[in-house]
Every structure is written in structure tokens, then in C-alpha cells.
Amino acid sequence: MVKIAPSILSADFAVLGEEIAKVEPVADLLHVDVMDGHFVPNLTIGPVVVEAMRRRTHLPLDVHLMIQHPERYLAAFAKAGAAYLTVHAEVCPHLHRTLQQIRELGVKPGVALNPSTSLHAVEQVLDQVDLVLLLSVNPGFGGQAFIPLVRKKIEGMRQWLERVHPRPELEVDGGIKLDNCRDVAEAGASILVAGSAIFGNADPRAAVNEFREALNSPAGRGAGGTGGGLPPGEPQSRIR
Ligand code: DX5
Ligand code: ZN
């Protein structure tokens, strides 16, 4: 079953606890976007807010670090209660070491790729991670449109991950709406992040339930596709 991770980036931060309570009974994880104003052109939150969230929810906190030098902050986010810590391959020259550090902190390591970054950037570490995150927008802001070229990347990564044991989650983040969630899941995603489509809705809990209906209905309710239109292809190379 595909998991749904509401992104609190689109929640009302003035009443964050109430926003979390709305999706708590229906969400699988809570996605937390950490931005530093350097790697991405926006600033958001740090470990203090993650720790406060930890006290308000039983949902696993899926912390997406869009920051330079993430290795400096891993211990703080682990202590704050992150379940997953996902770093961007683009800012980790020693990616293998950084992922090991996350594992040693008792947190599930994840690796993320921007839309323009090749899957090959993470090919050698797929057996080190519990999650691969493919950005389907250029990160920094909620409410952007899904970039169609990413559909092909999802398909390629899904084929690679079929050979990894234990198999990591394949999370897709950005521009996920009711009308394309089914298509993204069929391309191979196992976790869908949605921010504006959930917290931009007057009833976030109903929005999550609508996603489940769209994902589970045989016809794929409202399925409009990602606009990618590309047939499933062979990945350029395979691991092992
Ligand atoms: C983008 C963030 C996403 C964002 C998605 O920089 O990583 O998690 O919250 O928001 P939507 O679903 O509105 O595209
Ligand atoms: Zn994110």
C-alpha cells in the first residue's frame, strides 16, 4: 500500500499542533521540510520545532534536510526525534559516511535528489539507505507543479530498488495532487508527499482520505497523469 506523508510546509505554523491533529489518524508519516536559505532559497525550521512535533504526534517524522553541511546537524535532529533523516546527494561529497552517521544515530537514513540530478548520484549507496527521495519540483517552496521528466526517474529507480534487500522506500515529493497521485504510484513510488494538496484544503483529513480513494480505486479516480507520457524504460545501468 502506498503511504501518504503530509508535508507541514503548507500547514498553519501558528497552530501546528492542531494541524498535525487533523491528519494524525489518517496519515502514515509527517514530512518535515528543513531549509537553510543556502541550498534552497527559503528558510524554515530546525530541531526545536521537530522536538515539539515529536511531543504532539505518534506519526514517524520524515525529516527532509534541504541544507548544506547536513552532517553538522544530524545529531540534533536525531535527538529531536526524527524517524527518517534524508540528506541531498548534491551537498554530500562523502555521502556514504554521512549515511553511516545517520544509521549510527539510530535513525533511518534517506538520500534525496533534485529533479536535474541523475539517479547515478546514489547508485552506489542504495544498500545503505532506507529511503530514496526523488524531488518532483525544484525544492524550496510548496505549491509548485510536478516536473514531468521525473516520472521516468521514478520508473528507473523502482527498477533499481527491486534488486536491493531490504528494499528502501521510494518517496516522491513535490506537486503531488489528486489528479496525478495514481500515476506517480504506478511509476513506482511507495511514499507520496503532499503539502498544499492536503494543508491547503479546508479539511486536511478529508484530503488524505481522498488521496487514498484515488490510489485504491480500480479506475484511479481523477487520474490525469503527470504529463510525462514516457513509456517505462530500462535504467541505464543496474546495481550489481
Ligand atoms: C519542496 C518540499 C516539499 C513541499 C511539497 O521544497 O520539499 O515537501 O512541501 O509541497 P507541495 O505538495 O505543495 O508541492
Ligand atoms: Zn520535502
Side-chain angles (χ1 to χ4, degrees), residues 87-222:
V87 295
H88 269 262
E90 295 89 350
V91 294
C92 292
H94 308 292
L95 181 57
H96 184 275
R97 177 190 296 157
T98 303
L99 295 169
Q100 278 188 326
Q101 286 175 343
I102 297 171
R103 182 83 68 194
E104 285 164 8
L105 288 164
V107 180
K108 294 177 177 174
V111 66
L113 293 176
N114 282 338
S116 62
T117 306
S118 167
L119 297 184
H120 291 282
V122 297
E123 185 178 6
Q124 302 303 324
V125 296
L126 291 180
D127 57 359
Q128 302 286 315
V129 297
D130 289 331
L131 180 148
V132 176
L133 189 166
L134 296 183
L135 263 296
S136 40
V137 296
N138 289 298
F141 304 95
Q144 303 181 79
F146 187 97
I147 297 173
L149 69 85
V150 177
R151 191 187 197 283
K152 183 93 172 167
K153 290 178 70 179
I154 301 167
E155 291 173 343
M157 182 54 71
R158 170 50 60 202
Q159 292 188 38
W160 284 7
L161 293 182
E162 292 302 313
R163 294 172 160 243
V164 181
H165 301 286
R167 191 168 299 152
E169 301 278 6
L170 177 49
E171 181 172 56
V172 179
D173 181 9
I176 304 292
K177 310 285 179 195
L178 265 188
D179 67 1
N180 66 6
C181 66
R182 175 71 172 239
D183 192 46
V184 173
E186 286 177 354
S190 65
I191 301 176
L192 300 180
V193 176
S196 52
I198 292 176
F199 287 110
N201 191 301
D203 187 343
R205 188 176 304 180
V208 174
N209 287 330
E210 284 179 353
F211 269 108
R212 290 214 191 281
E213 283 172 31
L215 290 165
N216 294 332
S217 74
R221 182 184 153 199

